[in-house]
Amino acid sequence: MEQLIEILILSILPTIFASLITLYITERVKGSIRNKFDKKIESVKNGYNTELARLNAELDLINNQNNFKFSKLHDKRFEILELLYKALNRKLKNLQKYISPVKYKPEHQTFEEYEDELYKNYYDKHNEFVTLFTDNKIFLNEKIIELIDSYLKEELEIFHSYYENQFLTRAGDRPNAETRMKAFTAYKKVPEIISPILKEIENEFKEILER
């Protein structure tokens, strides 16, 4: 019986040994494959992280450039709006002086000379504003452009209402009653027509500057 057990053990041992060797080799191979796989995954992960960092850096650069451009554009708009607003007010003040029904001329000038000076002052300020406005429309939105166009149209009508009477009088013609009345009441159109448009322009300017 003992001999039989010994024979069985001897016959089984090679099989067990072979199985153990096979298992050992299999585990070694699995470990090697897993190790290579883990290294490959780590390499891919590192490459992904590097690429992601590069893309984030590019996005940050683009955002910074866009923010810089927006900031410069906003600064430029601020500068243009400030210049336009000042020029608009200068022009209006000179118009009001020109069309005022009450004028206090300097002693060294005749009334006609003083009128000519007021006319020239307004004309110069008007051209100054129109040039500034035309050259910088690209920085203005459509609403502001429409408001300023409307402002200029109404203001020029007021100017011509006064100027027509002056021109005809200087030419030796006697203006009719309607022309004289339009000239004498032209100053009233400023608070009635010009001021509301100017207020709208101011509100649009403020809205842009507060963004």
Side-chain angles (χ1 to χ4, degrees):
M1 184 66 178
E2 290 179 0
Q3 187 177 6
L4 179 59
I5 292 172
E6 186 178 343
I7 292 170
L8 286 173
I9 291 173
L10 290 174
S11 65
I12 292 172
L13 278 176
T15 303
I16 294 174
F17 184 70
S19 297
L20 289 173
I21 292 175
T22 301
L23 180 61
Y24 172 76
I25 294 172
T26 301
E27 290 302 318
R28 286 293 302 272
V29 171
K30 285 182 178 179
S32 177
I33 292 173
R34 185 180 297 110
N35 187 48
K36 289 181 179 179
F37 180 75
D38 289 344
K39 288 182 178 180
K40 186 66 176 176
I41 290 295
E42 189 65 25
S43 176
V44 171
K45 186 191 294 184
N46 290 337
Y48 171 77
N49 289 337
T50 301
E51 182 65 15
L52 184 61
R54 185 184 68 81
L55 290 174
N56 284 333
E58 288 183 0
L59 287 174
D60 288 341
L61 178 61
I62 291 172
N63 286 333
N64 289 336
Q65 289 174 339
N66 287 338
N67 289 336
F68 178 76
K69 289 178 182 177
F70 178 79
S71 177
K72 293 295 287 184
L73 176 60
H74 190 70
D75 290 345
K76 183 64 177 178
R77 277 183 171 172
F78 183 89
E79 178 187 348
I80 295 303
L81 293 180
E82 182 181 13
L83 291 173
L84 283 172
Y85 187 70
K86 288 180 178 179
L88 197 62
N89 279 307
R90 284 195 297 268
K91 186 162 78 77
L92 180 58
K93 287 177 182 177
N94 279 276
L95 174 68
Q96 288 175 307
K97 286 181 180 179
Y98 178 58
I99 65 176
S100 174
V102 179
K103 295 184 175 71
Y104 299 97
K105 71 174 185 65
E107 292 183 0
H108 66 278
Q109 287 180 312
T110 65
F111 183 78
E112 288 75 15
E113 289 173 340
Y114 185 55
E115 282 267 287
D116 288 343
E117 180 182 312
L118 295 177
Y119 167 84
K120 184 179 184 304
N121 289 342
Y122 168 73
Y123 189 77
D124 290 344
K125 293 298 182 290
H126 172 75
N127 287 339
E128 175 188 315
F129 175 82
V130 170
T131 299
L132 183 64
F133 172 55
T134 303
D135 289 346
N136 292 283
K137 278 187 177 182
I138 191 172
F139 297 103
L140 308 174
N141 62 37
E142 290 301 319
K143 180 66 178 297
I144 290 178
I145 293 173
E146 289 176 5
L147 285 171
I148 292 178
D149 283 339
S150 176
Y151 180 98
L152 291 174
K153 177 178 176 294
E154 297 295 342
E155 190 184 78
L156 284 174
E157 286 188 10
I158 295 172
F159 164 77
H160 285 301
S161 293
Y162 184 86
Y163 177 75
E164 182 182 7
N165 180 71
Q166 184 190 43
F167 177 80
L168 291 175
T169 301
R170 291 281 189 89
D173 294 334
R174 179 174 174 77
N176 59 36
E178 181 183 357
T179 299
R180 293 198 305 274
M181 182 58 65
K182 284 169 62 178
F184 298 148
T185 59
Y187 74 99
K188 294 182 179 181
K189 299 291 180 65
V190 172
E192 292 175 4
I193 300 174
I194 296 299
S195 294
I197 301 175
L198 182 59
K199 186 63 178 177
E200 285 191 68
I201 293 173
E202 290 175 353
N203 290 337
E204 284 296 316
F205 280 14
K206 289 178 182 178
E207 185 175 335
I208 289 176
L209 298 175
E210 290 171 357
R211 288 174 186 170

